[in-house]
Each structure stands twice: as C-alpha cells, then as structure tokens.
C-alpha cells in the first residue's frame, strides 16, 4: 500500500464522499477547511498530483479549469479502462469502467500511430436525464 499522509487521506475521503461530483482544488480546499482539516491550496494541488499518479483520482481538464474526481476502481497500477463522460447541459461527469473502447484504442494505435490516454479522455454529450428533458422539451 502506498504511503499516505493525513492530508492526502482527508483529500481522498472528501472526493470519495462525492464520487459523482468533480471538484476544483479551490472547492476541495474550502470543503476541507469547513470539515476541520485546514489545508492550503498548494498542498491540495501537490496531493492531487500524487493521487492522480496512483490512479486513485482523475484530473479532468475543462474550459473552466481542472477538476478532480475519485476513481472507484480498485487500487493497482492506475491503468484501468476508465471512461469519463461530461454532460454538456448539467456539467456532470460520469465515471465508468468500460472496456468496450479497447478496439478503438487499438485501431488508433495500429492505423494512426496514436496512443490514447484513456484516463484523461473526456467524451462530451448529454446524460440520460438531460437528454430526456431535451426530448420532452422538443416534443412541446
């Protein structure tokens, strides 16, 4: 098991409590302070880099900045096939374990000599709830 500091564990616990909610470093810092864990913003960024390197956290880069989200896969080499889906309507980011894209990754490597970093790949579209609302609104 990798070495973990109290600060790192507090950050991980904060993210685990909100598995479907990506958080910015500033949001994490504020949330940790409210819960009695005063941590500086620089420390949060440093710990997030470490947690991302272990595969326990995803870093999601958006137009609004970087967000971090807990990775629910078992700890290991950090190379699990994670798939991130961002809803363009509500902004929610869904984190899935899906191996169905492996043939696409292999095709891109074989035919186009491009290796996909699936832990940083973000697909945009509509979540089920927003797609349903859009269909209902379009029917009126």
């Amino acid at each position: 098991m990798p070495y973990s500091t109290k600060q790192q564990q507090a950050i991980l616990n904060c993210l685990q409590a909100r598995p479907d909610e990506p958080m910015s470093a500033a949001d994490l810092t504020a949330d940790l302070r409210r819960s009695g864990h005063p941590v500086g913003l620089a420390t949060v960024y440093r710990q997030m880099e470490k947690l991302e390197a272990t595969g326990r956290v995803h870093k999601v880069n958006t137009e609004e900045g970087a967000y971090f989200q807990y990775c629910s896969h078992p700890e290991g080499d950090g190379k699990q096939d994670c798939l991130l889906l961002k809803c363009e309507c509500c902004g929610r980011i869904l984190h899935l374990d899906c191996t169905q894209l492996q043939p696409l990754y292999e095709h891109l490597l074989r035919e186009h000599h491009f290796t996909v970093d699936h832990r940083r790949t973000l697909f945009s579209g509509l979540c089920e709830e927003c797609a349903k609302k859009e269909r209902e609104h379009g029917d009126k």
Side-chain angles (χ1 to χ4, degrees):
M1 172 130 187
Y3 173 73
S4 178
T5 65
K6 287 181 184 179
Q7 291 174 333
Q8 190 179 79
Q9 193 57 51
I11 291 167
L12 192 59
N13 290 342
C14 186
L15 288 170
Q16 281 177 310
R18 295 161 194 78
D20 295 327
E21 181 183 338
M23 299 179 75
S24 70
D27 293 338
L28 274 165
T29 301
D31 200 47
L32 288 163
R33 286 180 179 162
R34 279 192 298 273
S35 67
H37 297 91
V39 177
L41 188 59
T43 299
V44 169
Y45 275 113
R46 194 168 42 255
Q47 294 300 329
M48 294 312 299
E49 282 182 23
K50 292 176 183 178
L51 288 167
E52 182 187 12
T54 66
R56 295 159 80 183
V57 169
H58 287 283
K59 180 179 182 181
V60 181
N61 292 307
T62 70
E63 294 85 20
E64 297 85 29
Y67 288 86
F68 301 95
Q69 188 166 3
Y70 177 69
C71 181
S72 58
H73 293 120
E75 293 177 34
D77 62 6
K79 298 188 184 335
Q80 298 89 353
D81 282 341
C82 298
L83 177 60
L84 301 175
L85 307 172
K86 182 178 188 230
C87 180
E88 295 172 341
C89 185
C90 68
R92 190 170 131 201
I93 296 177
L94 304 169
H95 172 218
L96 305 173
D97 175 15
C98 184
T99 59
Q100 297 300 311
L101 287 176
Q102 193 58 40
L104 173 62
Y105 299 152
E106 291 169 5
H107 166 79
L108 290 171
L109 179 60
R110 186 178 57 254
E111 300 297 325
H112 305 283
H113 313 288
F114 187 84
T115 302
V116 174
D117 181 353
H118 56 267
R119 292 196 53 83
R120 291 185 175 231
T121 301
L122 182 67
F123 287 89
S124 295
L126 294 177
C127 70
E128 184 177 13
E129 291 175 30
C130 290
K132 182 179 176 185
K133 287 176 188 174
E134 189 172 279
R135 282 192 304 272
E136 290 171 356
H137 188 267
D139 291 341
K140 294 180 182 178

